[in-house]
PDB file of all heavy atoms in Angstrom:
ATOM      1  N   SER A 199     -17.906  -8.274  -7.421  1.00  0.00           N
ATOM      2  CA  SER A 199     -17.794  -7.882  -8.835  1.00  0.00           C
ATOM      3  C   SER A 199     -16.853  -8.827  -9.573  1.00  0.00           C
ATOM      4  O   SER A 199     -17.141  -9.207 -10.701  1.00  0.00           O
ATOM      5  CB  SER A 199     -17.280  -6.444  -8.893  1.00  0.00           C
ATOM      6  OG  SER A 199     -17.027  -6.068 -10.229  1.00  0.00           O
ATOM      7  N   TYR A 200     -15.755  -9.217  -8.927  1.00  0.00           N
ATOM      8  CA  TYR A 200     -14.812 -10.105  -9.578  1.00  0.00           C
ATOM      9  C   TYR A 200     -15.429 -11.470  -9.785  1.00  0.00           C
ATOM     10  O   TYR A 200     -15.211 -12.118 -10.838  1.00  0.00           O
ATOM     11  CB  TYR A 200     -13.563 -10.198  -8.701  1.00  0.00           C
ATOM     12  CG  TYR A 200     -12.526 -11.204  -9.251  1.00  0.00           C
ATOM     13  CD1 TYR A 200     -11.774 -10.982 -10.362  1.00  0.00           C
ATOM     14  CD2 TYR A 200     -12.402 -12.447  -8.625  1.00  0.00           C
ATOM     15  CE1 TYR A 200     -10.884 -11.869 -10.846  1.00  0.00           C
ATOM     16  CE2 TYR A 200     -11.510 -13.373  -9.100  1.00  0.00           C
ATOM     17  CZ  TYR A 200     -10.728 -13.077 -10.227  1.00  0.00           C
ATOM     18  OH  TYR A 200      -9.865 -13.998 -10.679  1.00  0.00           O
ATOM     19  N   MET A 201     -16.135 -11.971  -8.828  1.00  0.00           N
ATOM     20  CA  MET A 201     -16.743 -13.298  -8.929  1.00  0.00           C
ATOM     21  C   MET A 201     -17.833 -13.363  -9.972  1.00  0.00           C
ATOM     22  O   MET A 201     -18.095 -14.442 -10.511  1.00  0.00           O
ATOM     23  CB  MET A 201     -17.296 -13.730  -7.575  1.00  0.00           C
ATOM     24  CG  MET A 201     -16.222 -13.868  -6.488  1.00  0.00           C
ATOM     25  SD  MET A 201     -14.876 -14.965  -6.943  1.00  0.00           S
ATOM     26  CE  MET A 201     -15.633 -16.544  -6.635  1.00  0.00           C
ATOM     27  N   GLU A 202     -18.464 -12.241 -10.297  1.00  0.00           N
ATOM     28  CA  GLU A 202     -19.526 -12.223 -11.299  1.00  0.00           C
ATOM     29  C   GLU A 202     -19.047 -11.985 -12.727  1.00  0.00           C
ATOM     30  O   GLU A 202     -19.830 -11.973 -13.667  1.00  0.00           O
ATOM     31  CB  GLU A 202     -20.539 -11.122 -10.926  1.00  0.00           C
ATOM     32  CG  GLU A 202     -21.301 -11.463  -9.649  1.00  0.00           C
ATOM     33  CD  GLU A 202     -22.208 -10.303  -9.224  1.00  0.00           C
ATOM     34  OE1 GLU A 202     -22.276  -9.292  -9.950  1.00  0.00           O
ATOM     35  OE2 GLU A 202     -22.836 -10.452  -8.173  1.00  0.00           O
ATOM     36  N   LEU A 203     -17.751 -11.825 -12.921  1.00  0.00           N
ATOM     37  CA  LEU A 203     -17.214 -11.583 -14.253  1.00  0.00           C
ATOM     38  C   LEU A 203     -17.444 -12.800 -15.140  1.00  0.00           C
ATOM     39  O   LEU A 203     -17.265 -13.930 -14.715  1.00  0.00           O
ATOM     40  CB  LEU A 203     -15.747 -11.242 -14.193  1.00  0.00           C
ATOM     41  CG  LEU A 203     -15.357  -9.851 -13.686  1.00  0.00           C
ATOM     42  CD1 LEU A 203     -13.812  -9.754 -13.608  1.00  0.00           C
ATOM     43  CD2 LEU A 203     -15.904  -8.768 -14.619  1.00  0.00           C
ATOM     44  N   ASP A 204     -17.722 -12.556 -16.403  1.00  0.00           N
ATOM     45  CA  ASP A 204     -17.857 -13.637 -17.369  1.00  0.00           C
ATOM     46  C   ASP A 204     -16.482 -13.836 -18.013  1.00  0.00           C
ATOM     47  O   ASP A 204     -16.013 -13.010 -18.756  1.00  0.00           O
ATOM     48  CB  ASP A 204     -18.891 -13.280 -18.430  1.00  0.00           C
ATOM     49  CG  ASP A 204     -19.077 -14.384 -19.472  1.00  0.00           C
ATOM     50  OD1 ASP A 204     -18.750 -15.525 -19.136  1.00  0.00           O
ATOM     51  OD2 ASP A 204     -19.562 -14.096 -20.564  1.00  0.00           O
ATOM     52  N   THR A 205     -15.847 -14.932 -17.712  1.00  0.00           N
ATOM     53  CA  THR A 205     -14.478 -15.211 -18.183  1.00  0.00           C
ATOM     54  C   THR A 205     -14.431 -16.171 -19.368  1.00  0.00           C
ATOM     55  O   THR A 205     -13.346 -16.534 -19.799  1.00  0.00           O
ATOM     56  CB  THR A 205     -13.620 -15.721 -17.071  1.00  0.00           C
ATOM     57  OG1 THR A 205     -14.144 -16.883 -16.555  1.00  0.00           O
ATOM     58  CG2 THR A 205     -13.449 -14.684 -15.974  1.00  0.00           C
ATOM     59  N   GLU A 206     -15.569 -16.611 -19.881  1.00  0.00           N
ATOM     60  CA  GLU A 206     -15.569 -17.503 -21.029  1.00  0.00           C
ATOM     61  C   GLU A 206     -15.016 -16.781 -22.250  1.00  0.00           C
ATOM     62  O   GLU A 206     -15.440 -15.675 -22.552  1.00  0.00           O
ATOM     63  CB  GLU A 206     -16.980 -18.037 -21.285  1.00  0.00           C
ATOM     64  CG  GLU A 206     -17.421 -19.007 -20.246  1.00  0.00           C
ATOM     65  CD  GLU A 206     -18.765 -19.646 -20.609  1.00  0.00           C
ATOM     66  OE1 GLU A 206     -18.985 -19.806 -21.842  1.00  0.00           O
ATOM     67  OE2 GLU A 206     -19.517 -19.928 -19.684  1.00  0.00           O
ATOM     68  N   GLY A 207     -14.142 -17.430 -22.984  1.00  0.00           N
ATOM     69  CA  GLY A 207     -13.578 -16.860 -24.183  1.00  0.00           C
ATOM     70  C   GLY A 207     -12.582 -15.745 -23.842  1.00  0.00           C
ATOM     71  O   GLY A 207     -12.317 -14.891 -24.672  1.00  0.00           O
ATOM     72  N   SER A 208     -12.022 -15.823 -22.702  1.00  0.00           N
ATOM     73  CA  SER A 208     -11.066 -14.806 -22.313  1.00  0.00           C
ATOM     74  C   SER A 208      -9.788 -14.912 -23.167  1.00  0.00           C
ATOM     75  O   SER A 208      -9.393 -15.999 -23.608  1.00  0.00           O
ATOM     76  CB  SER A 208     -10.691 -14.965 -20.826  1.00  0.00           C
ATOM     77  OG  SER A 208      -9.683 -14.088 -20.472  1.00  0.00           O
ATOM     78  N   THR A 209      -9.160 -13.808 -23.401  1.00  0.00           N
ATOM     79  CA  THR A 209      -7.933 -13.748 -24.166  1.00  0.00           C
ATOM     80  C   THR A 209      -6.824 -14.506 -23.458  1.00  0.00           C
ATOM     81  O   THR A 209      -5.942 -15.022 -24.106  1.00  0.00           O
ATOM     82  CB  THR A 209      -7.483 -12.273 -24.366  1.00  0.00           C
ATOM     83  OG1 THR A 209      -8.584 -11.545 -24.910  1.00  0.00           O
ATOM     84  CG2 THR A 209      -6.318 -12.159 -25.304  1.00  0.00           C
ATOM     85  N   TYR A 210      -6.900 -14.581 -22.163  1.00  0.00           N
ATOM     86  CA  TYR A 210      -5.828 -15.202 -21.381  1.00  0.00           C
ATOM     87  C   TYR A 210      -6.150 -16.625 -20.914  1.00  0.00           C
ATOM     88  O   TYR A 210      -5.610 -17.082 -19.916  1.00  0.00           O
ATOM     89  CB  TYR A 210      -5.561 -14.303 -20.182  1.00  0.00           C
ATOM     90  CG  TYR A 210      -5.122 -12.910 -20.583  1.00  0.00           C
ATOM     91  CD1 TYR A 210      -6.015 -11.874 -20.451  1.00  0.00           C
ATOM     92  CD2 TYR A 210      -3.879 -12.687 -21.123  1.00  0.00           C
ATOM     93  CE1 TYR A 210      -5.659 -10.597 -20.842  1.00  0.00           C
ATOM     94  CE2 TYR A 210      -3.485 -11.405 -21.511  1.00  0.00           C
ATOM     95  CZ  TYR A 210      -4.381 -10.371 -21.370  1.00  0.00           C
ATOM     96  OH  TYR A 210      -4.026  -9.130 -21.765  1.00  0.00           O
ATOM     97  N   ASP A 211      -6.977 -17.326 -21.640  1.00  0.00           N
ATOM     98  CA  ASP A 211      -7.319 -18.682 -21.274  1.00  0.00           C
ATOM     99  C   ASP A 211      -6.087 -19.612 -21.311  1.00  0.00           C
ATOM    100  O   ASP A 211      -6.022 -20.601 -20.565  1.00  0.00           O
ATOM    101  CB  ASP A 211      -8.378 -19.255 -22.216  1.00  0.00           C
ATOM    102  CG  ASP A 211      -9.758 -18.768 -21.884  1.00  0.00           C
ATOM    103  OD1 ASP A 211      -9.939 -18.242 -20.749  1.00  0.00           O
ATOM    104  OD2 ASP A 211     -10.654 -18.946 -22.733  1.00  0.00           O
TER     105      ASP A 211
END
Side-chain angles (χ1 to χ4, degrees):
S199 175
Y200 174 75
M201 296 305 281
E202 292 175 2
L203 285 176
D204 181 22
T205 57
E206 288 186 33
S208 176
T209 307
Y210 300 105
D211 281 345

